[in-house]
Amino acid sequence: MLDAASSGQVRQAPPPPPPPARDAVDTVHDKMKSGFFNPITNGDVKDAVGALSSLDATNTRAAISELAQDGGLDKLASEINDGKSFGLGGLSADEKRSFFTEMARDLGGAELKQLSDAFAKAGGDYHGKADVEALGQAIATHATADAKLDYIRAQAGSTLDHKADTTSPFTLGGSIEVTSHGDAEAAAVGQVLASLNGNPAVAQQAFDALNPDQLRGVLDASIHREEMDTTMASMGGIAHSNSTSLDTSTYKGILEAGAQSTNADFKARLFAEGSAVLKDVPQQNLLLGVSVMDRDAATRTMGEGLTAVLGSDVSGVMRELSLNTETRDGTAFATYAKQMLNDKQTEPLADMMQQLQVGGSKNENPINHFEATTQVTLPDGKKVDRYENATALGHYVGGVQAAAASITTDRKEQAELMTAVLKSGLTIVDKAGWGGKGVGAAAAVAKEWVSLGTNAALKAIQDDPSAAGKALDRLAIPSDPKTGEEAVGSNSKSAYNTALDVVVRQAKP
């Protein structure tokens, strides 16, 4: 028998095999077909998911993108969540988590959003919040930095869709209503943002992808506030209760990721948004049948996150808080100071004041630091001097005073709060190593002046507890220890007083 070559015929090469992505898409569509005598089984769902999970990253992206366009991804997400019995159900929680992990490792930001959107649609009234957040956690843990950034950029516009979602789980003999505050996509973005701690360059780009409203939405969703309203009927009558749970670990992680920034203005705005969310956390009120579970622990964690932002650049952030139009009324800082006073976290507060007095390295002459000026250009081109250090210090003192006044109207109790801050300051001063070993005269002068001012402030409170607000003022303004006179000029003192007065009058912590 003659072969093709000897007969003069050219053998046709077999067609190339279809690309892996095409095979996977076809498998998903085939497994998602259903009819009365052909229901989609648990095995079908696993086969469809397995076809996607076995692909390499390039083909996984292509397959998910095509399925998102032709509706197959929505169908798959719905079947994955199918809770029917007799072998017709979807994936278990662990199986779904494994699928999310595989997708987070392989997909880019655009495809991850497509996957998230599919599960949001499959989530019904609750907008798929559990699945959207679970995928967000997988992205935070397993995705590349570039994929995380692209995901945040892709999801930014979806972070304000739902301020709260409410469901009513079935229960016998009563009713339960569960309200989850914060948008599902915002909560997922928050998890991914928090995971960028340790990667400051990408973290800054990710924060920059969010406008102020979106950032507030992400921070609000990150405290995972959930309210449960329960009514139960029994032989004894009708019993009604409310409870609120909080988990603020992601909130803290977001702020710690933002604290890596070198941009003081950005950090001041992040601090302000975080402070606003802290202020809105509901109070405990058992008389009305409303209890907030673990509120103290949750808000303490929030305070730690805000401390990370402020502590990363005390002078820079306080300067921006005191000069930015949105924050110069002092509400943001006073809200934070109130939380710190309530938590008895006075040492960080005292440390911040000392940095505002004698610089971050704690070795500057307090008079020179207070009198320092920065030249700024006005809209008309005129150059003027601005006393930024004095202004920031006035903002601080006014904020702590406003915080104490909002905690209690009792003058003696306010004095006790101020005394705690001042004594914490002395504890810091007494610790060795201000400015490092062998720093010489500069650090010694700074330490001496802060010590003198602190002791004078403590004596002022002892002499007149009703004037506790003046104690920090006594400490803030450098005075000559020999003459007892203020050792600063009128212009710097005026800048300080103006900032202090604005905060005392306007702050609403």
Side-chain angles (χ1 to χ4, degrees), residues 137 139-141 148 189-199 253-254 257:
Q137 185 57 58
I139 296 167
T141 306
K148 291 178 182 181
V189 166
Q191 292 174 321
V192 179
L193 268 178
S195 75
L196 292 173
N197 191 8
N199 194 335
I254 294 171

Side-chain angles (χ1 to χ4, degrees), residues 292-337:
V292 179
M293 300 162 63
D294 299 325
R295 182 188 192 280
D296 290 345
T299 53
R300 187 178 300 112
T301 299
M302 296 175 78
E304 291 169 356
L306 291 168
T307 297
V309 176
L310 189 51
S312 67
D313 180 8
V314 175
S315 295
V317 176
M318 287 298 297
R319 178 187 66 241
E320 297 298 334
L321 288 173
S322 65
L323 294 172
N324 286 341
T325 303
E326 308 96 315
T327 55
R328 66 187 299 267
D329 72 347
T331 296
F333 177 72
T335 298
Y336 163 76

Side-chain angles (χ1 to χ4, degrees), residues 341-468:
L341 291 174
N342 277 327
D343 287 341
K344 297 180 171 52
Q345 295 295 309
T346 52
E347 188 162 321
L349 276 179
D351 183 73
M352 290 171 188
M353 184 169 186
Q354 290 177 5
Q355 291 191 52
L356 292 172
Q357 291 175 286
V358 291
S361 59
K362 297 183 179 178
N363 62 2
E364 296 182 39
N365 184 300
I367 299 173
N368 295 339
H369 192 77
F370 194 88
E371 289 287 345
T373 59
T374 301
Q375 195 169 75
V376 296
T377 302
L378 301 180
D380 63 1
K382 182 180 178 181
K383 295 183 181 300
V384 296
D385 289 335
R386 188 162 66 188
Y387 294 86
E388 294 184 350
N389 292 342
T391 299
L393 187 56
H395 190 86
Y396 170 96
V397 173
V400 175
Q401 289 185 25
S406 72
I407 292 172
T408 176
T409 57
D410 186 282
R411 296 288 188 172
K412 181 179 179 182
E413 293 176 356
Q414 289 182 14
E416 291 172 352
L417 292 171
M418 296 297 179
T419 298
V421 175
L422 293 167
K423 286 185 176 180
S424 291
L426 283 181
T427 299
I428 295 171
V429 169
D430 288 340
K431 292 179 180 178
W434 254 43
K437 294 183 179 179
V439 294
V445 169
K447 184 174 182 178
E448 177 185 9
W449 279 70
V450 170
S451 298
L452 288 170
T454 304
N455 283 312
L458 284 168
K459 186 176 186 306
I461 290 181
Q462 184 178 2
D463 292 343
D464 184 7
S466 67

Side-chain angles (χ1 to χ4, degrees), residues 107-114 146-152 154:
L107 298 180
E111 298 83 24
L112 287 167
K113 174 171 172 52
Q114 291 172 330
D146 287 342
K148 291 178 182 181
L149 175 58
D150 289 342
Y151 168 80
I152 291 171

Side-chain angles (χ1 to χ4, degrees), residues 16-26 55 59:
R22 180 73 262 165
D23 282 349
V25 170
D26 290 343
L55 298 172
N59 282 286

Side-chain angles (χ1 to χ4, degrees), residues 272-304:
E273 298 297 348
S275 180
V277 173
L278 170 63
K279 182 183 176 184
D280 287 343
V281 173
Q283 297 290 327
Q284 191 172 34
N285 191 343
L286 295 175
L287 293 176
L288 296 178
V290 179
S291 62
V292 179
M293 300 162 63
D294 299 325
R295 182 188 192 280
D296 290 345
T299 53
R300 187 178 300 112
T301 299
M302 296 175 78
E304 291 169 356

